[in-house]
Amino acid sequence: MRMPKKTAFLNTVSPVDLLRRLVATDSRSPGALATPMAPDTITEETLCALIEEWLGELGFVCERQYPAPRRPQLLARRCPHPGRPTLAFSAHFDTVGTAGMTVPPFAGELRDGRLYGRGACDTKGSHAAMLLALARLCHDPLSPNLMFIGTCAEESGIEGAPRLRLGDTPPDAVIIGEPTGNRLVTGHKSHLWLELAVHGRAAHGSTPEAGDNAIYRMAEVIQSLRRLAETEMGRESCAGFTPQTLAVTVVAGGNKVNIIPDQCRIQADVRLFPGTNVAAFVRELTARIKAETGQTLDVLSQHGANGFGAIPNSPLRRAMAAALAAASRDATETTVNYCTDAGAFAGFGIDTVIFGPGDIRQAHGPTEFLELAELEAAIPLLTATARAFAVAR
Ligand SMILES: [Zn+2]
C-alpha cells in the first residue's frame, strides 16, 4: 500500500476551491444509459477521471466499470488495516441539465457564503465533503478501511448503482452523499414510473359511433387512478414515511382532429413504501382498474428504483448518530421523499445511510447553491462517523 503523498491535491485544496472545481467540471446527464450519444456529448467521464486521479494520489486503488459506453462508475479502495471494517462513501457523478438556470451553471460564483452552480447542492457538495474526509482519514491511525464509489446515471432513474459489481470485497457499510442538510437519513420510498395505454378503434370524426374513443376510455381510467391515490393508497401508513402517492403526469392520445382516437397513453409517477413488491403492485393496479372501469390497461413500460428502510442493528447508523451527537447536532433519524442510490446498496445487503450538506429544495433549481458552512461542517462529521464506525461492531 502506497503511503499518501503530503502534496496530494486533496491534502492541500480548500473546501470551497474543491467544490468550485467540481462544479466547473460539467457532468450533465446525457440521459438514460440506453440513450444514443454524439461523440462530443458530455457524460460523467471527465469528472470520474479527475476524482480517480486525486484518489490515486492518496494511495487508493481505482477500478472503473462501464454499465454503458462512456458512462463510468468508479470503485476506489484503500484498505491498509487488516481486521477493520470497510466504509464506503458514495455519490453520483451526474447532474441534471442547465435549462432555466438564472445563475452561471459552471462558474462557481460566491455570494453571501454560498457557492452557486449546477450540482453545487446535488450532489457535488457531498463529493467535496467526502473527498476531503477521505484525505484526512488516510492520515488517521483510527480510520477504517476506505472506499469511494462514484456512480453514473442516477438522475435518469437510479440506473447506475444497481449495475455495480462489488466483487469479493464489498464494503461493510456505505454513506450515500445527497443533500440531507447534514442529517442522518435512514430510509426513502421506492419509486415507479409507469407508461400505460388503452386501445380503441379509429373512425371518421363525423361518425364517432362507428369507432371506439380511446381518450374517453382513458378518462375513466384516470378518474379511477385518482380515486385510488386519494383514498386507499394515501390512507395507508408506514412509520417514519409520508403517505404513498400516485400522480398521472403525462397524457397523450389521438392523431388528428377529425379522427376518433384509437389509442391513449398516460404516464404516472408512483411512490411506494420501501419493501413493496413493485411487480405485484402493477398487477393489482391493472386488475383493479379493469374491475372498476372495465378498461384493459396495456403496461407499455415500467421503471422502478428500490426504496429502503432503517437497517436493523446497523453499526453505521450508531456511528453516525454518535458523531452527530458529539458535535451537538440533531442526531435523530429521518426519511426523505426523493429516491437515491441508497435503495440499490441496501438491496445488495449493505448497511446504508444517506448524509450530505445542502438542502434538497435547491437541487435541480434555477439558482442551485450550497451553503459553504454546511460543506465545512460535513467534513468533520464524516471523519468522526468513520472513526466511530471503525470500532462499532
Ligand atoms: Zn442527487
Side-chain angles (χ1 to χ4, degrees):
M1 180 62 62
R2 279 186 291 148
M3 282 307 291
K5 289 189 284 184
K6 287 284 180 205
T7 55
F9 174 75
L10 291 173
N11 284 332
T12 54
V13 69
S14 70
V16 57
D17 286 346
L18 176 58
L19 179 58
R20 191 188 279 120
R21 182 81 184 271
L22 292 167
V23 167
T25 307
D26 186 356
S27 61
R28 279 172 292 168
S29 169
L33 286 179
T35 307
M37 289 184 291
D40 59 348
T41 301
I42 299 290
T43 71
E44 296 92 344
E45 271 202 311
T46 307
L47 182 60
C48 175
L50 205 54
I51 291 176
E52 181 177 5
E53 180 189 323
W54 296 337
L55 290 174
E57 291 172 354
L58 292 175
F60 280 76
V61 177
C62 296
E63 172 198 351
R64 280 194 215 181
Q65 296 178 356
Y66 283 86
R70 297 181 51 219
R71 307 297 298 273
Q73 312 209 82
L74 180 65
L75 280 87
R77 289 185 174 81
R78 189 172 182 280
C79 302
H81 307 294
R84 289 191 204 169
T86 301
L87 176 62
F89 294 160
S90 179
H92 59 88
F93 291 131
D94 55 329
T95 71
V96 295
T98 55
M101 285 195 83
T102 55
V103 295
F106 307 115
E109 276 183 6
L110 285 174
R111 254 182 293 138
D112 305 325
R114 297 166 167 178
L115 189 144
Y116 287 81
R118 179 55 83 225
C121 167
D122 184 9
T123 206
K124 291 178 175 178
S126 289
H127 275 281
M130 288 178 158
L131 292 170
L132 291 174
L134 289 172
R136 294 185 187 180
L137 287 163
C138 286
H139 301 282
D140 187 334
L142 300 179
S143 170
N145 292 311
L146 299 170
M147 279 184 77
F148 178 82
I149 302 173
T151 63
C152 69
E154 195 269 356
E155 296 290 3
S156 54
I158 326 287
E159 292 185 290
R163 291 171 168 80
L164 281 166
R165 287 171 281 109
L166 296 172
D168 302 333
T169 50
D172 296 287
V174 60
I175 300 173
I176 304 297
E178 291 284 356
T180 70
N182 290 338
R183 287 198 62 190
L184 169 56
V185 169
T186 56
H188 62 63
K189 284 181 273 191
S190 303
H191 87 214
L192 169 66
W193 292 334
L194 280 175
E195 186 170 20
L196 306 168
V198 293
H199 301 280
R201 190 173 60 254
H204 193 278
S206 65
T207 55
E209 70 282 1
D212 178 357
N213 191 321
I215 290 179
Y216 292 168
R217 287 180 174 272
M218 187 59 96
E220 290 179 36
V221 171
I222 291 170
Q223 289 304 325
S224 179
L225 288 170
R226 183 174 178 183
R227 269 194 305 278
L228 178 70
E230 291 178 356
T231 56
E232 282 167 55
M233 266 183 80
R235 284 196 203 119
E236 284 174 38
S237 64
C238 178
F241 290 90
T242 54
Q244 303 185 108
T245 57
L246 180 154
V248 175
T249 45
V250 176
V251 182
N255 295 310
K256 200 163 181 288
V257 68
N258 60 355
I259 301 174
I260 301 301
D262 65 350
Q263 198 206 59
C264 185
R265 288 177 291 117
I266 60 170
Q267 291 177 42
D269 178 290
V270 187
R271 308 280 162 156
L272 300 166
F273 296 136
T276 308
N277 182 326
V278 168
F281 173 85
V282 175
R283 276 197 307 275
E284 281 167 29
L285 184 73
T286 52
R288 172 73 177 266
I289 297 298
K290 173 85 179 165
E292 271 193 22
T293 67
Q295 306 300 342
T296 302
L297 277 173
D298 194 2
V299 180
L300 299 180
S301 71
Q302 61 184 82
H303 171 81
N306 287 336
F308 79 117
I311 290 161
N313 304 317
S314 153
L316 179 56
R317 276 165 61 204
R318 288 201 300 276
M320 182 163 275
L324 288 164
S328 303
R329 298 185 68 105
D330 185 352
T332 53
E333 298 178 9
T334 187
T335 62
V336 290
N337 274 332
Y338 50 92
C339 217
T340 75
D341 284 344
F345 283 94
F348 293 144
I350 296 171
D351 186 1
T352 304
V353 304
I354 312 172
F355 171 90
D359 182 337
I360 191 65
R361 287 171 297 187
Q362 287 304 319
H364 306 188
T367 60
E368 181 170 355
F369 66 80
L370 186 73
E371 297 276 357
L372 292 170
E374 279 208 39
L375 168 58
E376 286 178 13
I379 301 162
L381 291 170
L382 285 168
T383 54
T385 298
R387 289 168 65 121
F389 178 74
V391 292
R393 290 276 100 186

